[in-house]
Amino acid sequence: YDLKGKRYLEVYDKYYLGDVGLRHAQLGFKEGDISGILENLVYLELRRRGFRVSIGKWNEMEVDFVAEKENEKEYIQVTYLLASNETIRREFDPLREISDNYPKKVLSLDPIWGNNLDGIRRQNIIDFLKESD
């Protein structure tokens, strides 16, 4: 979804699996793939909750998920850990650029002390998964 032009892009290749175990069976488990696995997990959960899910583009930056259903919209970034300033910038900067007032969220496996930065909610992925619809 082109966040600046407010339209859907024609082609953008990003794939998510219905069962990550099949990927591990074919390619083997690689510890460095944890961020992609977490992103896949969040995608499946958003779909389970009934959201239509797109990938957002803002100029050269990417928003992992634009989740929409009925009158709801939410922007979500997913990362393993917010362990460096570079990672924090990479995850928060695209959300800072979006000027509408829909909720914005960064999910990670960090223990969360304080829950937002510049109005963008930080949330632990496990807590996100335990939320009810």
Side-chain angles (χ1 to χ4, degrees):
Y1 186 77
D2 181 354
L3 297 167
K4 197 171 188 178
K6 305 283 188 206
R7 62 185 173 80
Y8 284 95
L9 300 171
E10 296 299 318
V11 175
Y12 187 70
D13 292 336
K14 200 164 189 180
Y15 299 96
Y16 296 100
L17 302 171
D19 184 343
V20 179
L22 295 174
R23 177 189 181 278
H24 295 325
Q26 186 70 26
L27 303 175
F29 176 76
K30 297 176 185 145
E31 192 173 317
D33 294 343
I34 187 69
S35 289
I37 293 167
L38 291 171
E39 189 174 319
N40 201 118
L41 184 66
V42 170
Y43 170 80
L44 292 174
E45 179 62 17
L46 289 169
R47 296 289 299 151
R48 187 195 68 76
R49 293 179 186 182
F51 284 94
R52 190 173 58 255
V53 182
S54 302
I55 298 157
K57 294 291 284 178
W58 184 271
N59 296 326
E60 297 302 312
M61 295 184 280
E62 177 184 289
V63 174
D64 292 332
F65 302 116
V66 179
E68 300 175 279
K69 78 174 168 183
E70 298 168 10
N71 293 327
E72 295 179 58
K73 184 188 282 188
E74 191 169 353
Y75 303 106
I76 299 173
Q77 291 284 77
V78 180
T79 189
Y80 173 44
L81 296 171
L82 293 165
S84 69
N85 286 333
E86 178 185 337
T87 303
I88 291 168
R89 276 192 307 277
R90 182 186 71 231
E91 300 302 330
F92 281 85
D93 283 356
L95 298 175
R96 287 182 179 118
E97 293 292 323
I98 302 168
S99 60
D100 64 27
N101 291 318
Y102 289 108
K104 299 169 183 87
K105 186 181 293 187
V106 174
L107 304 175
S108 70
L109 284 178
D110 293 294
I112 305 299
W113 313 104
N115 61 353
N116 78 45
L117 179 64
D118 298 333
I120 300 166
R121 183 174 179 203
R122 295 176 57 217
Q123 187 176 14
N124 181 276
I125 290 174
I126 296 167
D127 293 336
F128 168 79
L129 294 171
K130 293 188 324 188
E131 289 177 341
S132 61
D133 294 347

